[in-house]
Amino acid sequence: MERVLGIGGYFRRAADPAALSAWYRDCLGLDTDEHGLWHPEAGPTVFAAFDSETDYFGSRAQQSMLNFRVRDLDAMLAQLRAKGADVAAETQEMDGVGRFGWVNDPEGHRIELWQPAAEPGEGEGEGEGA
């Protein structure tokens, strides 16, 4: 059976595409070229369906939610707050999965930020020539 290799793109309608793209670049560091091409770091990606009545995405009108992996959730949330972004006050932690926070982009789309849990053995040996 042929299988997909990964996410090939994420497309969103915008009232002001240039301004929204600039927000993602300036606030989240999403460096894309003139065609929108971005080379994310390798890592886990979650593909999950949610119940149609979920409030997890914020507004019921929002049919999907973009989730970005981050290295340091607290630093990213502080950076977003410093830029005046609409950041949720709460964060969530799931044992073995990681920590989550949320921000709304300038057009009101809720975005999830995910700092994955460290894998067993991760971080060992740091400072010893690593």
Side-chain angles (χ1 to χ4, degrees):
M1 178 177 131
E2 195 63 28
R3 297 178 187 271
V4 298
L5 303 175
I7 302 295
Y10 185 81
F11 308 98
R12 166 166 279 160
R13 296 177 197 269
D16 187 341
L20 191 60
S21 294
W23 183 88
Y24 279 85
R25 180 193 63 236
D26 298 343
C27 291
L28 296 176
L30 195 74
D31 293 321
T32 62
D33 69 11
E34 68 275 11
H35 304 291
L37 186 61
W38 170 50
H39 295 276
E41 291 184 19
T45 300
V46 175
F47 183 87
F50 282 68
D51 186 274
S52 64
E53 299 300 312
T54 188
D55 290 325
Y56 195 70
F57 301 170
S59 165
R60 291 268 175 106
Q62 184 172 327
Q63 296 298 305
S64 64
M65 183 170 58
L66 186 55
N67 171 301
F68 286 116
R69 269 182 286 113
V70 299
R71 188 176 339 275
D72 183 334
L73 180 63
D74 293 327
M76 176 60 80
L77 294 176
Q79 172 181 300
L80 288 163
R81 286 185 180 104
K83 293 183 178 287
D86 179 13
V87 178
E90 76 279 354
T91 59
Q92 181 182 42
E93 186 161 352
M94 292 178 66
D95 287 340
V97 177
R99 297 182 58 229
F100 300 89
W102 299 271
V103 62
N104 289 332
D105 75 15
E107 295 201 2
H109 304 109
R110 183 174 165 107
I111 300 163
E112 185 168 66
L113 303 170
W114 171 38
Q115 179 182 325
E119 294 291 326
E122 230 177 75
E124 291 178 11
E126 288 182 13
E128 299 172 6

